[in-house]
């Protein structure tokens, strides 16, 4: 399960990342807009420190208690291995696990881990480590939100033997291994997670089985990992990897171009041209991941009425948004999939840019609910996370366009509070960024009825039993055509609910200096080539400096 | 003696007021429970969440009235216990954060102050002795330019010129580099803070120097055959330092203010950037601790200024 | 006064002009003054405030602000032209060869520097003494100027000393390097009347002991009477009368000098009240009167005085010069004097 997902619609790329999602399922082989250039020839050499710029720092690096966002997952990729990994075809293949075997009904999966693997603290990787990680994640008030709804209250994990664990699910899932390619797939040292419960400062000093060991960390400045000499899956070439949180995207690019970083992540299209112009930079761009959109809370007036949601949708200046903030780089999004995806529904178009129709709908709504209107316009609140210049400009743009049919109250709040209020349903309209898991199954947590609650990952708090049925059916078939058709129906269902106004596909860029090589040489011990960039992060198991 | 007792009493009173106001404001503006538990704080229909809420309330005395909580906080604080960081994973103690970050900000501010003084004094001496001439007028324009320029703009210009174009200075601060590198990385940020401050200091000192230079004892010093330099440094400077030193003391506040912006731009994880972050997160134990540290520093520096007065001018010695 | 010393021309000033450029126009503060002074002699420069006497002394020494000042003419010190010398060059002369005692001992000492150091400064600079030597010399100098408890004084600040003591400290500073020419600019004006005589006596005694020349600048003819060999009277930036002290007092030619003499205060009068005796104000040095500059205030003025500027004329004795059309003793002078006494009697009678 990948815990990705993003929040706040941070198209400026700064300070994103806070939430999480689980996922699992089959391959979504959305192509990258610009394929990574082929690695230069040459034999790897040991040594060197790779310095990498990330969007923001994280509160902690404990996969069982920290909600890991793109920067957090990137750093976790150094210290931890996942039970399964996504190969270049988009399938989940065994990694830390030796095998995974489903039951006949696909309601339970038996995972056997490889023997002889040691954590950085010298303890052995066993079934107990898997169980400990799972239980801690399930009971964590935040991380658990994405786990609990999919497993029985008791008996979710069973210890079969020293190296084997059985996971029991609520529903059949043919794509379960995808659930263990992300945050839930990281296996931390049980000794360490126990110690971290007593001493919270240990959350900053992760211990896993991964290619690099934690070395040192100065929050908001630098986190350093050093080579794990006893790595179980091949030679690790780099002496060390250092992560530098640089919240300002311009500074991040400056540092890269000035040779103070070897690589960085960004979603800011304003940087792409500069990055392309430098011949020493190898760019990787991928827009198959998240979409940015306007999100509407359907549980509260006025947007509990579909006419109000539709009015907002029609009043939204989607084209202009794309021009101003996509800068010709980002593609307009009509749905959660890009056109290349097998699940893409070509008939579903995102409505927008029709203010006259919006006014008509608003007038109709106000005739019926005058208490939610003033001067014939619907009263609403628009909330976004700040302070950030780009976010304010987005708010200005929407505010102005929506004001034909709405009285917009603007509310700028700090990102954590923004996410909290969104999770609690204490909002009308927000800008947001999510979806685009390696397998669409992982995006179920945003969409299903069971994820509406006190604290909800189904942020719009929109429940449709038919949609749930489609989503469950899609994980209970391995026929690609049937699956595609099911997701296309989901896409249409989402479109007709008017809870998301899709704006554009986010592009994740992972520019690196051409001296960094071998990033995409990562394989399983069996030699299966693995996907090397995903949602703005990468792995450096096989990277070397030339 | 009585004078000093009065000063200390005033300082204590000042610190109490600052802490009470900050404590009150932070509690009115934010919900501490929200800080500690995140979204769970609002999840009141879920028994698991409610258990967590109750636990947090009793652990941090959140059910006590504001005054009682202030009292508890104060008695802990004076004993060196600054509480815990509400909004961080696992609520680690605030003192961890302060211990890690205060030295960086203190170094930055101290370096900036020293630079500002080191720039302002020779600059003021040079311009005061040439008052009204072209070089003085150009310098006046420069000072207005520096004073009017916002810190972030100056930071970006200096960074662009000195780091990117010329490559003389490091671009950012790296907390785990060796001490000498870190000091070197501090130079540009400190200069950014120091330049506008130096301009203010220079204007002030220049004016006072011009007044001093018209005094009879300056003519007397010249008549002794002392060189221009010696007259300026040995005779004119010291009697001109009064308002300068007062402003150096008072300006410490502005310096700390400047460090907030500069720490962010140069990626120095100091208490300035922590303050901004914790205010936005409404993490009030952190805010309070930092505000109190700044207030104590301010009071101490101004006490030091009083002591300096009596060193500089024998006439005010008691 | 120092008759038995061989004559050596120490200072020779010819046609010295010192003009200041100001927004109002050029101020002709010193306007063509010629003087000379022999080694060991004392010259008094006398005049009201604004007569240019202080500017003249500073102009000779070169101690003037650098900007907006025009100095012309010639100042030869020990036969060497020093008028065009740069400040840097003059620094080896100041304090070493020429020293100055300023008017106000309250403001002329650095308030934040110990007395000892202020005296030691020129000693270390010009005589290359080290700290210890300089301190010992400073202590000796303090004794020379009769400051009691000299050792303790070295470590005191000026504000801990009385006015008279401060003036003695200034004298000590001025004497420190044994200058050949000492300027004393109203050295006693700011002092208590009882202290004035002591200070003057001290300066005079030191001058004799050290074979210095002295230029004593004052508005008080009474002060110079006992302490100078020669007196130069200035008015409106010009030299109007010059004579050996004795000659001047016996046969002064300028009505202005006479007026100054009449204004010598009595001891019971507060200082600075004295010049009220000469009615009117000193001339505007931007646009000086066309004829005699004193004419507008002169009791003996006649038409010629208003149009024709009197040139310096040699009197009966060759070292006595004056610039007046109708000097004291001339028939016109007597004629006017009779009229004046009548008039004052008439005024007195009406009371």
């Amino acid at each position: 399960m990948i815990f990705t997902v993003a929040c706040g619609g941070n198209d400026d790329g700064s300070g994103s990342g806070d939430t999480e999602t689980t996922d699992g399922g089959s391959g979504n082989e959305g192509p990258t807009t610009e394929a990574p250039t082929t690695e230069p020839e040459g034999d790897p050499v040991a040594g060197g420190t790779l310095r990498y710029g990330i969007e923001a720092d994280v509160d902690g690096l404990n996969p069982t208690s920290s909600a890991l966002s793109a920067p957090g997952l990137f750093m976790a990729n150094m210290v931890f291995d996942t039970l399964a990994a996504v190969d270049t075809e988009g399938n989940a293949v065994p990694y830390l696990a030796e095998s995974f075997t489903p039951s006949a009904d696909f309601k339970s999966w038996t995972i056997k881990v490889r023997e002889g693997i040691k954590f950085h603290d010298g303890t052995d990787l066993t079934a107990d480590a898997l169980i400990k990680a799972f239980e801690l994640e399930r009971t964590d008030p935040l991380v658990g939100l994405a786990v609990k709804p999919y497993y029985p209250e008791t008996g979710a994990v069973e210890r079969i033997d020293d190296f084997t664990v059985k996971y029991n699910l609520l529903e059949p899932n043919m794509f379960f291994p995808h659930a263990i390619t992300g945050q839930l797939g990281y296996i931390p040292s049980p000794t360490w997670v126990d110690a971290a419960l007593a001493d919270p400062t240990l959350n900053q000093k992760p211990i896993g089985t991964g290619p690099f060991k934690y070395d040192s960390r100065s929050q908001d400045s630098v986190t350093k990992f050093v080579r794990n000499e006893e790595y179980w899956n091949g030679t690790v070439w780099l002496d060390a990897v250092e992560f530098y949180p640089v919240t300002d995207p311009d500074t991040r690019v400056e540092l890269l171009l000035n040779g103070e970083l070897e690589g960085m992540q960004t979603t800011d299209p304003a940087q792409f041209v500069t990055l392309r112009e430098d011949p020493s930079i190898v760019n990787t761009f991928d827009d198959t991941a998240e979409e940015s959109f306007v999100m509407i809370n359907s549980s509260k007036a006025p947007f509990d009425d579909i006419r109000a949601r539709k009015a907002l949708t029609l009043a939204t200046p989607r084209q202009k948004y794309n021009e101003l903030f996509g800068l010709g780089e980002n593609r307009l999004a009509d749905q959660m999939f890009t056109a290349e995806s097998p699940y893409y529904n070509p008939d579903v178009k995102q409505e927008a840019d029709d203010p006259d129709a919006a006014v008509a709908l608003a007038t109709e709504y106000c005739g019926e609910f005058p208490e939610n209107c003033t001067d014939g316009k619907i009263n609403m609140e628009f909330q976004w996370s700040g302070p950030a210049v780009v976010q304010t400009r987005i708010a200005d743009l929407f505010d102005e366009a929506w004001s034909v049919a709405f009285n917009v109250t603007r509310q700028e709040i700090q990102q954590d509070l923004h996410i909290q209020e969104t999770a609690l349903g204490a909002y009308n309209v927000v800008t947001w960024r999510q979806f685009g898991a390696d397998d669409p199954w992982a995006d179920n947590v945003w969409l299903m009825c069971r994820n509406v609650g006190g604290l909800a990952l189904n942020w719009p708090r929109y429940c449709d039993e038919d949609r749930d049925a489609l989503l469950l059916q899609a994980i209970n078939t391995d026929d690609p055509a049937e699956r595609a058709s099911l997701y296309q129906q989901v896409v249409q269902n989402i479109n007709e609910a008017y809870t998301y106004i899709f704006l554009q596909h986010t592009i994740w860029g992972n520019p690196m200096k051409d001296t960094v090589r071998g990033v995409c040489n990562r394989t399983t011990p069996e030699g299966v080539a693995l996907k090397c960039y995903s949602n703005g992060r990468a792995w450096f198991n096989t990277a070397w400096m030339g | 003696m009585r004078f000093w007792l009065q000063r200390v009493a005033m300082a204590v009173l000042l610190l109490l007021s600052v802490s009470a106001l900050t404590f009150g404001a932070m509690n009115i503006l934010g919900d501490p429970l929200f800080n500690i538990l995140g979204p769970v704080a609002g999840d009141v229909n879920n028994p698991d969440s409610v258990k967590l809420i109750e636990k947090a309330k009793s652990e941090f005395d959140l059910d006590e009235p504001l005054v009682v909580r202030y009292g508890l906080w104060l008695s802990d604080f004076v004993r060196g216990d600054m509480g815990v960081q509400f909004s961080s994973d696992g609520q680690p103690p605030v003192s961890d954060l302060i211990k890690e970050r205060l030295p960086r900000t203190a170094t930055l501010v101290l370096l900036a102050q020293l630079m500002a003084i080191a720039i302002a004094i020779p600059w003021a001496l040079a311009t005061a002795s040439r008052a009204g001439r072209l070089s003085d007028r150009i310098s006046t324009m420069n000072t207005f330019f520096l004073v009017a320029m916002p810190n972030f703009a100056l930071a970006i210009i200096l960074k662009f010129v000195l780091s990117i174009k010329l490559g003389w200075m490091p671009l950012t601060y790296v907390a785990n580099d060796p001490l000498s590198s870190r000091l070197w990385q501090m130079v540009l940020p400190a200069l950014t803070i120091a330049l506008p401050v130096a301009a203010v200091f220079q204007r002030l000192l220049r004016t006072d120097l011009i007044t001093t230079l018209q005094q009879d004892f300056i003519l007397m010093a010249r008549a002794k055959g002392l060189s221009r330099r010696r007259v300026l440094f040995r005779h004119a400077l010291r009697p001109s330092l009064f308002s300068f030193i007062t402003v150096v003391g008072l300006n410490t506040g502005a310096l700390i203010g400047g460090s907030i912006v500069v720490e962010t731009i140069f990626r120095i994880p100091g208490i300035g950037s922590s303050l901004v972050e914790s205010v936005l997160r409404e993490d009030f134990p952190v805010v309070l601790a930092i505000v109190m540290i700044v207030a104590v520093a301010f009071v101490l520096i101004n006490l030091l200024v009083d002591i300096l007065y009596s060193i500089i001018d024998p006439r005010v010695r008691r | 006064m120092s008759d038995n010393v061989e004559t050596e021309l120490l200072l020779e000033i010819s046609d010295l002009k010192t003009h200041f450029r100001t927004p109002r126009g050029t101020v002709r503060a010193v306007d063509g003054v010629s003087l000379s002074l022999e080694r060991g002699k004392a010259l008094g420069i006398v005049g009201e405030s604004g007569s240019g006497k202080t500017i003249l002394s500073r102009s000779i020494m070169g101690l003037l602000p650098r900007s907006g000042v025009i100095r012309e003419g010639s100042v030869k010190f020990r036969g060497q032209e020093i008028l065009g010398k740069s400040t840097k060059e003059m620094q080896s002369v100041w304090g070493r060869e020429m020293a100055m005692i300023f008017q106000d001992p309250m403001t002329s000492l650095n308030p934040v520097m110990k007395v000892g150091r202020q005296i030691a400064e020129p000693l270390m600079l010009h005589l290359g003494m080290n700290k210890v030597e300089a301190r010992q010399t400073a202590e000796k100098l303090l004794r020379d100027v009769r400051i009691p408890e000299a050792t303790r004084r070295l470590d005191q600040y000026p504000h801990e000393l009385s006015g008279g003591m401060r003036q003695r400290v200034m004298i000590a500073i001025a004497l420190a390097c044994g200058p050949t020419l000492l300027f004393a600019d109203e050295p006693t004006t700011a002092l208590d009347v009882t202290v004035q005589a002591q200070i003057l006596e001290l300066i005079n005694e030191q001058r004799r002991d050290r074979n210095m020349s002295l230029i004593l600048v004052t508005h008080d003819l009474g002060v110079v009477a006992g302490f100078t060999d020669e007196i130069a009277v200035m008015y409106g930036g010009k030299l109007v009368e010059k004579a050996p002290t004795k000659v001047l007092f016996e046969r002064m030619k300028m009505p202005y000098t006479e007026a100054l003499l009449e204004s010598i205060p009595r001891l019971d009068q507060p200082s600075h009240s004295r010049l009220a005796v000469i009615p009117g104000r000193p001339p505007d040095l931007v646009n000086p009167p066309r004829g005699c500059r004193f004419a507008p205030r002169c009791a003996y003025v006649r038409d010629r005085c208003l149009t024709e500027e009197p040139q310096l004329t040699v009197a009966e004795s060759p070292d006595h010069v004056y610039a007046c059309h109708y000097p004291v003793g001339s028939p016109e002078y007597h004629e006017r004097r009779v009229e004046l006494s009548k008039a004052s009697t008439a005024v007195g009678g009406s009371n």
Side-chain angles (χ1 to χ4, degrees), chain B residues 175-216:
Chain B
N176 66 352
D177 277 5
L179 182 68
S180 57
S181 315
R182 275 183 288 142
L183 282 175
W184 176 232
Q185 289 157 357
M186 285 267 188
V187 169
L188 200 54
L191 190 68
T192 306
I193 305 175
L195 278 179
V197 176
V200 173
F201 288 176
Q202 184 268 350
R203 292 304 300 166
L204 185 86
L205 184 56
R206 175 185 166 276
T207 310
D208 287 356
L209 271 169
I210 288 173
T211 312
T212 305
L213 285 172
Q214 288 159 353
Q215 300 283 315
D216 290 345

Side-chain angles (χ1 to χ4, degrees), chain C residues 114-124 129-143 149-156:
Chain C
K114 284 176 185 168
V115 163
R117 271 197 45 205
Q118 299 197 46
I119 305 172
E121 238 182 349
L123 292 171
M124 290 160 73
M129 291 188 185
N130 64 31
K131 266 193 177 157
V132 180
E133 292 166 343
R135 193 180 156 85
Q136 285 166 351
T137 313
E139 193 181 330
K140 188 187 162 292
L141 280 161
L142 283 183
R143 284 209 197 89
E149 300 177 86
T151 323
R152 191 165 70 88
R153 303 295 181 198
L154 287 174
D155 291 318
Q156 286 186 323

Side-chain angles (χ1 to χ4, degrees), chain B residues 129 133 215-217 219-220 222-228 230 234-235 238-239 312-315 317, chain C residues 58 63-64 66 91 94-95 102 107-113 117-118 121 125-126 157 159 170 173:
Chain B
S129 63
R133 292 213 249 159
Q215 300 283 315
D216 290 345
F217 66 83
L219 191 65
M220 169 82 183
R222 287 186 64 208
K224 284 180 187 174
L226 303 183
S227 67
R228 167 183 301 281
R230 207 180 154 87
R234 303 301 283 266
H235 288 269
R238 213 169 113 180
I312 286 178
D313 193 340
R315 288 170 297 187
R317 269 174 216 170
Chain C
R58 294 198 186 164
L63 266 182
L64 287 170
R66 290 189 305 173
Q91 277 163 3
W94 293 336
F102 290 88
T107 58
S108 300
L109 289 174
N110 187 333
V112 299
M113 195 186 269
R117 271 197 45 205
Q118 299 197 46
E121 238 182 349
L125 177 74
H126 295 299
Y157 288 93
H159 72 278
M170 288 244 285
I173 294 171

Side-chain angles (χ1 to χ4, degrees), chain C residues 214-240:
Chain C
L214 171 70
I215 292 181
L216 182 59
V217 179
T218 179
H219 60 262
D220 193 340
L221 262 179
V223 165
V224 289
F227 300 102
T228 55
D229 303 299
E230 197 176 29
I231 294 174
V233 181
M234 286 197 63
Y235 186 81
K238 288 191 173 273
L239 189 66
V240 292

Side-chain angles (χ1 to χ4, degrees), chain A residues 314-498:
Chain A
L314 292 169
T316 298
R318 184 163 161 268
Q319 289 291 348
K320 193 149 185 208
Y321 174 93
N322 186 240
E323 281 161 30
L324 288 176
F325 304 104
L327 303 172
E329 300 278 350
N330 297 77
R331 289 192 282 177
L332 277 165
D334 287 302
Q335 51 190 272
M336 56 196 266
F337 301 113
T338 53
E340 296 81 5
S341 164
Y343 313 118
Y344 179 75
N345 187 337
D347 300 327
V348 169
K349 296 289 172 208
Q350 178 62 56
E351 291 171 66
D353 295 309
D354 189 353
D356 297 340
V359 172
L361 275 167
T363 313
E364 187 188 326
Y365 175 87
C366 286
E368 215 168 304
F369 301 100
E371 67 274 21
N372 295 334
C373 299
T374 308
D375 302 331
K377 292 183 186 177
I378 306 172
N379 297 328
M380 62 164 277
E381 191 186 86
F382 176 59
Q383 192 190 80
W384 73 91
S385 78
V389 179
V390 176
Q391 289 303 317
T392 310
R393 289 191 47 215
I394 292 172
D396 292 342
L397 174 72
F398 287 155
D399 185 354
E400 195 196 334
W402 290 339
S403 63
V404 297
F406 293 87
N407 300 307
V408 184
T409 306
R410 298 158 59 115
Q411 198 193 4
E412 178 184 274
I413 60 173
Q414 168 75 1
Q415 190 168 344
D416 342 21
L417 289 176
H418 175 56
I419 291 163
Q420 286 166 3
E421 298 210 341
T422 307
L424 287 165
Y427 74 100
N428 279 162
V429 175
V430 294
T431 45
W432 208 253
R433 198 173 79 183
Q434 70 184 25
F435 297 125
D438 286 322
D439 186 277
W441 175 79
D443 288 327
N444 282 8
V445 289
W446 316 123
L447 298 169
M448 291 180 76
C449 292
R450 69 184 69 174
N451 295 99
V452 180
L455 271 174
L457 293 182
N458 183 337
W459 323 105
R461 297 174 176 253
Y462 182 84
C463 172
D464 182 342
E465 302 292 344
D466 295 342
R467 184 199 286 177
D468 278 18
L470 291 168
L471 289 168
L472 290 177
Q473 228 179 313
I475 55 171
N476 203 12
T477 175
D478 57 0
D479 172 12
E482 193 190 346
R483 243 192 141 210
S485 151
L486 285 164
Y487 277 116
Q488 284 168 7
Q489 291 173 59
V490 170
V491 164
Q492 188 173 353
N493 175 295
I494 291 172
N495 180 266
E496 287 165 2
Y498 291 99

Side-chain angles (χ1 to χ4, degrees), chain C residues 225-270:
Chain C
F227 300 102
T228 55
D229 303 299
E230 197 176 29
I231 294 174
V233 181
M234 286 197 63
Y235 186 81
K238 288 191 173 273
L239 189 66
V240 292
E241 185 162 16
K242 192 187 80 170
T245 308
K246 216 172 140 197
V247 175
L248 188 89
F249 278 95
E250 281 169 5
R251 295 195 292 265
M252 61 185 59
K253 289 289 182 195
M254 272 296 288
Y256 175 61
T257 313
E258 192 186 49
L260 278 181
L261 188 61
E262 281 163 7
S263 74
I264 291 177
R266 297 207 307 271
L267 280 181
D268 52 358
Q269 275 176 337

